[in-house]
Amino acid sequence: MEFNLEKLVRPHLASLKSYQTLRDFYMREKMTFLDANENPYGEFNRYPTGNPLELKNRLAGINGVKAANLFLGNGSDELIDLIQRLFCEPGKDAILVMSPSFVMYEIYAKMNNLKVEKLDLNSDFQLEKNTFLEKNAQRAAKILFLCSPNNPTGNAIENLEFYIQNFNGIVVVDEAYIEFSAQDSAVKLLAKYPNLIVLKTLSKAYGMAGLRIGIGIASEEIADFFNRFKPPYNINSESQKLALEQLKKSVQIEEKISKILAEKVRLKNGLNQISEITIVYTSEANFFLIEFKDAEKAYQVLLENKILTSLRHPALKNCLRISVGTAEENSKLLNVLAQI
Ligand code: PMP
């Protein structure tokens, strides 16, 4: 498939000059900075760099790519929005999403006045090649959002490469939960598919949801394009600093993931003993999609016991999505559920 980035981006962006700050260029020199109307006093008075290279180098190393392949967002939420805004013309273009999947693809599409085409997942929560090829034949959508492991179903999507290979626009593979799974990252496919963007986040396995750092990984050409048009100071200076400090503690991060995975096994065994539960779906993430005899009732009882869960998707009848917590939290959850 021939790939031409300029043909895919919104036409007016090709000639638009992005906001430029020369600050990064002069950062290493002893300069007097009177360029950005900052307050000269204070601890947080300076704008952050828009290109946090040390952080990017660290993230590049973790993901086996170069820093030039990365673009960062204020959470991957911001990147989902930005990807739509840079490629899709409001009132005209459409995105293609799996259903059920992460709701923000659709919410942003509605905010951006884009049409949303859906690929219904089958009873195993997998995509069907034929349904996909039919939609694809209509060539309506500009971006395909794949999510694997998928939120809220928890499973990994099979044959991802088939969908990437056969889509004529930009394919986004959202790997927010991949560190919990045995699945291979689609980052390995970047060399083969210039239309691919992989999204990762520090919010889940890395335990830094509060810092809001999302990671886009793509060809250098796509990454450069996003780096030019992203909001210039979208990762604040404290988040840059703290994320770097946390990432240096890689052993602790690994330990936390192992702990969550061990608790996940214990939680699943416990959930399988609860008579109100009809199915605990297989999960490759740090949560379970659970079908109850009466999910609304279970949700309310949990709420009365000060446990907040997620009453899921209109498309998923009688299901709750429940995160794996600490040993103590999971035991409390199991105790309350046992009493329903
Ligand atoms: N993608 C998926 C699949 C998610 O579940 C989430 C968070 N729930 C996000 C992206 C957004 O993550 P963040 O903005 O925290 O990086």
Side-chain angles (χ1 to χ4, degrees):
M1 179 179 51
E2 183 144 352
F3 179 77
N4 185 335
L5 182 61
E6 263 184 38
K7 277 198 181 148
L8 280 174
V9 301
R10 290 170 68 189
H12 71 289
L13 289 177
S15 58
L16 183 71
K17 232 171 119 40
S18 57
Y19 178 80
Q20 275 201 325
T21 156
L22 291 178
R23 183 68 73 84
D24 285 342
F25 187 70
Y26 289 111
M27 212 54 190
R28 284 174 195 282
E29 299 180 36
K30 260 228 155 310
M31 279 273 177
T32 300
F33 289 117
L34 300 177
D35 59 323
N37 303 342
E38 295 149 329
N39 185 325
Y41 310 109
E43 226 182 313
F44 305 110
N45 55 328
R46 298 292 174 194
Y47 282 105
T49 171
N51 185 28
L53 254 187
E54 206 185 340
L55 177 60
K56 277 188 169 177
N57 281 332
R58 175 73 53 167
L59 293 170
I62 292 172
N63 288 290
V65 295
K66 291 193 261 173
N69 295 109
L70 300 185
F71 53 103
L72 304 183
N74 193 251
S76 42
D77 273 347
E78 183 184 50
L79 295 177
I80 292 165
D81 181 33
L82 200 60
I83 291 168
Q84 294 187 2
R85 285 195 288 128
L86 295 189
F87 287 111
C88 294
E89 211 51 44
K92 180 169 164 255
D93 286 330
I95 64 160
L96 183 56
V97 298
M98 316 189 309
S99 179
S101 190
F102 184 43
V103 289
M104 288 311 287
Y105 312 134
E106 195 173 341
I107 291 175
Y108 279 126
K110 287 184 177 152
M111 287 167 67
N112 291 324
N113 194 16
L114 306 177
K115 282 172 252 167
V116 179
E117 306 267 337
K118 291 191 180 173
L119 294 166
D120 288 329
L121 300 182
N122 66 22
S123 54
D124 294 325
F125 298 136
Q126 291 296 335
L127 283 166
E128 294 277 357
K129 287 184 180 171
N130 286 340
T131 324
F132 169 78
L133 290 175
E134 275 164 32
K135 278 270 181 226
N136 217 13
Q138 300 162 11
R139 286 177 181 268
K142 198 99 180 263
I143 309 173
L144 166 63
F145 282 94
L146 300 172
C147 184
S148 184
N150 187 30
N151 178 8
T153 56
N155 60 305
I157 301 299
E158 290 163 5
N159 305 313
L160 270 192
E161 188 168 355
F162 173 85
Y163 303 101
I164 299 168
Q165 189 170 36
N166 288 292
F167 189 73
N168 238 323
I170 293 289
V171 181
V172 177
V173 178
D174 186 341
E175 296 187 344
Y177 299 96
I178 196 156
E179 293 85 358
F180 299 110
S181 116
Q183 180 195 323
D184 264 352
S185 169
V187 167
K188 293 205 180 108
L189 300 174
L190 283 171
K192 231 164 136 186
Y193 301 105
N195 58 332
L196 177 61
I197 298 175
V198 180
L199 288 185
K200 303 237 187 183
T201 178
L202 295 189
S203 297
K204 308 293 176 182
Y206 288 90
M208 297 182 227
L211 298 186
R212 312 303 301 126
I213 295 187
I215 306 149
I217 312 177
S219 68
E220 290 189 27
E221 189 188 15
I222 290 182
D224 176 62
F225 174 67
F226 275 87
N227 282 316
R228 281 190 287 128
F229 288 107
K230 73 175 179 59
Y233 308 116
N234 61 339
I235 312 292
N236 73 70
S237 44
E238 286 305 284
S239 289
Q240 294 185 13
K241 191 180 93 193
L242 295 171
L244 197 56
E245 278 171 25
Q246 292 287 315
L247 288 174
K248 286 180 182 166
K249 302 177 195 164
S250 54
V251 176
Q252 272 147 283
I253 292 170
E254 288 298 326
E255 277 171 7
K256 280 187 212 154
I257 296 175
S258 309
K259 234 163 138 178
I260 293 168
L261 292 178
E263 263 307 298
K264 187 178 153 188
V265 174
R266 187 180 76 92
L267 180 59
K268 180 153 189 174
N269 289 338
L271 291 168
N272 279 329
Q273 314 292 317
I274 309 276
S275 59
E276 274 298 303
I277 290 177
T278 40
I279 309 173
V280 181
Y281 287 102
T282 304
S283 164
E284 298 222 19
N286 64 334
F287 58 81
F288 286 109
L289 181 72
I290 304 165
E291 190 192 72
F292 285 80
K293 287 181 190 156
D294 183 346
E296 186 76 43
K297 182 171 129 204
Y299 180 81
Q300 287 305 334
V301 173
L302 288 167
L303 207 54
E304 281 156 23
N305 284 277
K306 304 253 182 284
I307 299 175
L308 187 61
T309 58
S310 184
L311 189 56
R312 270 295 114 181
H313 237 275
L316 292 167
K317 283 219 171 67
N318 261 335
C319 286
L320 298 186
R321 194 198 61 199
I322 302 186
S323 318
V324 181
T326 62
E328 199 184 330
E329 290 168 338
N330 300 331
S331 298
K332 182 177 169 196
L333 171 79
L334 291 171
N335 279 338
V336 174
L337 287 177
Q339 286 160 30
I340 296 178

